[in-house]
């Protein structure tokens, strides 16, 4: 098993390198000269001055040399400095923003898991009933609704019209910190983030549980007089959870995309808002560093998902 996880770590490292190379190439293919992001447009500069800046930053080197230099620095934990934030380190900016993003994603996924599993079980137990049909229709709309539409509609309805939740930010400006204030700002974006994931988990949970409930050992448990509640909890649920665990692990990457848009809509001070601002200002070091950290988090979660397989189903062996 140790060899398996070491192999997964090596594959994950290779994927990170491939991801960083892809982002590097795409940034260089973007219209315009990278040097434009490094100079003040209000200050006139001669061609000699621009050439000196280009040489100092290593932009006069071939692209493979530039990428190799950045990768070597990243391997040492040095992601460079932001171009638009008075020379703040990229690692420092990420350290400030990753906490709010993890909070938002963690809350959204936790809500999605609880609601998705509960409604999936309910739909399977009451198959083809009005409850099951209603949940299936709700799941259809939840899966079909894009993140930007859900965020904008939710913001307009619950913040602008009903005024049930703040319209943006993580805390009330000027107010002392309190958990209550944080939860007031967190609940709406977390719920909106959870909608699509909860709907998907519900569909997988329902289908998986229905398949398990038709197995011979479940019918045997019922024939022995085991109550339906314990048939589901002790015999069916654990075996039905395996594809749901797989789904939850794979939705982390999708949740990153949803969180990026939600952070932009709700002005949530996380990695998504940092990335959006970096792209709009062509802050290349921040884009590269933030993408690398987000990719590393997704890969680690996928590895942890593999670890969870064995806990959910002891029949699984890896080697």
């Amino acid at each position: 098993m140790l060899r398996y996880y070491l192999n997964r770590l090596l594959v994950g490292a290779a994927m990170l390198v491939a991801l960083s190379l892809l982002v590097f190439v795409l940034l260089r293919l973007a219209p315009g000269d990278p040097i434009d992001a490094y100079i003040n447009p209000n200050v006139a500069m001669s061609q000699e001055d621009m050439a000196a800046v280009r040489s100092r930053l290593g932009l006069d080197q071939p692209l493979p040399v530039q990428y190799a230099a950045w990768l070597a620095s990243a391997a040492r934990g040095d992601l460079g400095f932001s171009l638009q934030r008075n020379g703040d380190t990229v690692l420092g900016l990420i350290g400030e923003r990753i906490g709010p993003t993890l909070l938002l994603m963690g809350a959204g996924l936790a809500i999605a898991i609880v609601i998705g599993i509960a409604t999936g079980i309910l739909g399977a137990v009451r198959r083809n009933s009005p409850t099951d049909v209603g949940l299936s229709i709700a799941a259809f709309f939840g899966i079909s609704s894009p993140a930007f539409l859900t965020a904008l509609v939710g913001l307009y309805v619950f913040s602008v019209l009903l005024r049930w939740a703040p319209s943006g930010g993580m805390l009330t400006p000027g107010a002392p910190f309190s958990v209550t204030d944080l939860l007031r700002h967190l609940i709406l974006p977390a719920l909106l983030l959870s909608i699509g994931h909860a709907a998907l988990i519900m569909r997988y949970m329902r289908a998986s549980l229905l398949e398990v409930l038709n197995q011979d050992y479940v019918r045997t448990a019922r024939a022995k007089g085991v109550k339906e509640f314990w048939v589901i909890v002790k015999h069916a649920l654990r075996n039905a959870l395996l594809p749901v665990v797989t789904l939850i692990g794979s939705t982390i990457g999708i949740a990153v995309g949803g969180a990026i848009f939600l952070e932009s809509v709700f002005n949530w001070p996380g990695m998504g808002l940092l990335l959006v601002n970096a792209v709009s200002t062509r802050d290349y070091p921040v884009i590269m560093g933030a993408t690398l950290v987000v990719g590393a988090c997704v890969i680690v979660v996928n590895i942890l998902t593999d670890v969870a397989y064995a806990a959910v189903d002891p029949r699984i062996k890896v080697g």
Side-chain angles (χ1 to χ4, degrees):
M1 183 172 292
L2 178 60
R3 179 181 299 177
Y4 171 80
Y5 292 122
L6 288 177
N7 289 337
R8 286 302 309 271
L9 287 174
L10 290 176
V11 171
M15 292 176 62
L16 277 180
V17 173
L19 174 64
S20 64
L21 178 60
L22 177 62
V23 175
F24 180 85
V25 171
L26 291 177
L27 288 176
R28 291 302 185 266
L29 291 177
D33 190 340
I35 195 66
D36 295 338
Y38 292 81
I39 62 177
N40 187 344
N42 298 320
V43 177
M45 295 185 66
S46 64
Q47 293 297 324
E48 291 77 11
D49 292 335
M50 293 185 66
V53 173
R54 191 183 300 274
S55 177
R56 177 170 58 86
L57 296 173
L59 294 176
D60 58 338
Q61 300 294 322
L63 290 182
V65 176
Q66 294 182 35
Y67 174 73
W70 178 86
L71 189 62
S73 298
R76 297 192 301 268
D78 180 12
L79 298 178
F81 296 86
S82 171
L83 306 178
Q84 306 294 333
R85 295 176 179 271
N86 300 321
D88 291 341
T89 64
V90 174
L91 204 58
L93 290 173
I94 293 174
E96 294 173 359
R97 299 299 189 97
I98 196 169
T101 293
L102 291 177
L103 176 63
L104 176 59
M105 287 182 56
L109 289 176
I111 294 172
I113 291 170
V114 172
I115 294 178
I117 291 178
T119 54
I121 294 172
L122 183 61
V125 171
R126 300 187 178 181
R127 181 181 183 182
N128 297 329
S129 69
T131 299
D132 183 31
V133 173
L135 289 174
S136 298
I137 294 174
F140 171 77
F141 282 105
I143 295 172
S144 304
S145 301
F148 70 88
L149 179 62
T150 302
L152 292 175
V153 171
L155 177 66
Y156 178 73
V157 172
F158 296 105
S159 294
V160 177
L161 290 182
L162 301 177
R163 299 184 182 276
W164 286 357
S167 59
M170 184 175 172
L171 297 168
T172 302
F177 173 81
S178 69
V179 176
T180 302
D181 186 44
L182 175 61
L183 292 176
R184 285 183 62 250
H185 287 78
L186 174 64
I187 187 63
L188 181 57
L191 280 173
L192 295 176
L193 180 62
S194 71
I195 289 176
H197 304 295
L200 200 57
I201 292 172
M202 178 263 178
R203 297 301 300 166
Y204 269 72
M205 187 72 240
R206 178 185 180 277
S208 179
L209 187 57
L210 283 175
E211 181 179 355
V212 171
L213 289 175
N214 290 325
Q215 298 296 319
D216 291 339
Y217 65 88
V218 174
R219 287 195 291 267
T220 301
R222 286 171 173 163
K224 290 181 178 180
V226 179
K227 292 184 178 180
E228 187 68 16
F229 175 82
W230 294 114
V231 169
I232 295 172
V233 173
K234 296 184 63 175
H235 297 275
L237 184 58
R238 186 170 184 176
N239 293 325
L241 279 176
L242 186 58
V244 178
V245 172
T246 307
L247 175 66
I248 291 171
S250 64
T251 56
I252 299 296
I254 303 174
V256 171
I260 287 176
F261 189 84
L262 278 167
E263 288 181 4
S264 302
V265 171
F266 286 91
N267 197 31
W268 187 266
M271 292 285 291
L273 190 59
L274 178 67
L275 263 173
V276 170
N277 292 336
V279 170
S280 64
T281 58
R282 300 189 68 173
D283 197 339
Y284 291 158
V286 173
I287 297 174
M288 292 289 294
T291 303
L292 188 70
V293 171
V294 170
C297 291
V298 172
I299 290 172
V300 169
V301 168
N302 287 332
I303 294 175
L304 293 177
T305 302
D306 291 341
V307 176
Y309 288 167
V312 173
D313 192 343
R315 298 172 299 175
I316 293 180
K317 302 294 182 184
V318 295

